[in-house]
Amino acid sequence: MFATYVEHFLLPALRPGQVVVVDNVGAHKPDRIRALVEAAGCLLVFLPAYSPDLSPVEEANSSLKTLIRAANARTRAALDAAIAAALAAVTTADAAG
């Protein structure tokens, strides 16, 4: 499906010399994708693999997940309340990462 998207939607919009940046996932890696992009005179570049150690939002996300799991909510109302409480507990330092 990704190759079809590249061929029919992305390539017609590209100009030679442009850089196409894609996620580092298997669907983006077949040789055909690179061949299509390079045939259009463009460069294909993959984003680095995801690393939570390099993501500043992970500190806040980790706090949220821990608090929500600790609430052990079993109903929609309880889950909504747990999410609200967890969001209120995230500090400025957490958000700044």
Side-chain angles (χ1 to χ4, degrees), residues 23-74:
D23 286 343
N24 195 3
V25 297
H28 298 162
K29 292 184 178 182
D31 292 338
R32 179 169 180 230
I33 302 300
R34 181 172 298 282
L36 288 168
V37 171
E38 290 178 353
C42 299
L43 176 65
L44 182 65
V45 175
F46 292 96
L47 290 171
Y50 174 74
S51 171
D53 296 334
L54 302 175
S55 178
V57 300
E58 283 303 319
E59 196 169 330
N61 283 344
S62 177
S63 296
L64 287 172
K65 287 188 255 182
T66 298
L67 292 168
I68 293 168
R69 284 185 184 125
N72 203 23
R74 294 293 179 246

Side-chain angles (χ1 to χ4, degrees), residues 13-19 37 39-43:
L14 293 176
R15 294 182 312 279
Q18 288 186 306
V19 176
V37 171
C42 299
L43 176 65

